[in-house]
Amino acid sequence: MMNRIIRSTLAAALMFSVAGCSDDDNGLGPVIELTEAETDDLMEVLGTLAFEGTFGVPAEARTAIAMLRNPDVAFATVNVNQTLECPVSGSRHTNGSIVTNDEETQINASFTQTYTNCAATAESGTTWTFNTAPSLTLTINGTGDPETQSFDVTMNFNGGFQVESDDDRSGSCMVTLAWVMSFSGTDESISASVNGTVCGRAVSQTVDISA
């Protein structure tokens, strides 16, 4: 159930309509100028790349959550170092680790993703190509009781990149998103708060997720 909750939360959180005005410069150069619909389009593709298809939970996060939920898992460290092809062209590299504590009640994970000419196509038909500047970072921190199935999880997704589309739009973008959720293994639904910015546009909402 945990995997379904996290997957649904990521999907709902990334498929938002952002609000507010974008910054002219974020330290990486001129920010790409996008409408709200175009920002959603870009985030659809970024979600596919960062969360392995249709906003699914990253394999690294699935491993972390499984380790947290399993009362038989002793202190462990799992290292991740892999390069994957992007859907259209280019590649993305993920490097990081997952660490559990001796009491089997806490887990911390940190990963960096580096995109090199990494291209994918949105449902709208627009192809976006990403080059990280220098990387995107995903962190996961969780505490819980595997016996009672009570969990608290926070996730943070941060970083910057240069992006261009096949219809001649280009520029830089910074992403800073945070998810906070508390729930038990018997919950039929949970609420997750999502806050941050995408390409200079503010994000702040509560997402209700069915388990």
Side-chain angles (χ1 to χ4, degrees):
M1 185 191 76
M2 177 67 174
N3 288 346
R4 296 200 307 273
I5 291 172
I6 301 297
R7 185 181 301 113
S8 299
T9 301
L10 291 171
L14 286 174
M15 294 178 69
F16 47 71
S17 293
V18 293
C21 299
S22 61
D23 298 328
D24 293 333
D25 196 307
N26 55 20
L28 300 177
V31 176
I32 187 169
E33 296 185 5
L34 301 173
T35 65
E36 291 184 14
E38 290 168 341
T39 303
D40 289 344
D41 195 60
L42 181 149
M43 289 306 298
E44 174 199 329
V45 173
L46 184 61
T48 299
L49 297 174
F51 303 123
E52 297 193 343
T54 319
F55 308 102
V57 64
E60 299 86 5
R62 289 196 297 270
T63 302
I65 297 305
M67 291 168 65
L68 180 63
R69 295 190 68 194
N70 189 347
D72 297 323
V73 173
F75 176 81
T77 298
V78 176
N79 295 311
V80 177
N81 190 347
Q82 64 178 355
T83 299
L84 300 174
E85 293 183 355
C86 296
V88 174
S89 61
S91 63
R92 64 185 177 91
H93 180 76
T94 300
N95 182 67
S97 62
I98 308 167
V99 180
T100 63
N101 67 344
D102 287 318
E103 292 77 23
E104 305 163 7
T105 58
Q106 183 173 342
I107 197 161
N108 298 288
S110 180
F111 307 96
T112 59
Q113 292 185 337
T114 303
Y115 300 165
T116 304
N117 297 319
C118 181
T121 302
E123 290 186 2
S124 67
T126 301
T127 296
W128 300 88
T129 301
F130 299 84
N131 283 279
T132 46
S135 63
L136 295 167
T137 301
L138 173 69
T139 59
I140 306 165
N141 297 288
T143 59
D145 186 333
E147 297 297 334
T148 63
Q149 294 285 287
S150 177
F151 303 98
D152 296 289
V153 177
T154 61
M155 294 188 293
N156 293 276
F157 185 56
N158 304 298
F161 51 86
Q162 300 290 333
V163 61
E164 59 181 286
S165 67
D166 59 359
D167 55 4
D168 298 324
R169 287 169 292 170
S170 63
S172 66
C173 180
M174 292 290 293
V175 174
T176 302
L177 291 173
W179 294 261
V180 178
M181 63 197 82
S182 299
F183 54 94
S184 73
T186 59
D187 285 344
E188 294 184 0
S189 64
I190 64 169
S191 292
S193 64
V194 186
N195 293 279
T197 59
V198 177
C199 300
R201 296 180 180 273
V203 178
S204 181
Q205 64 178 159
T206 298
V207 182
D208 292 320
I209 304 298
S210 296

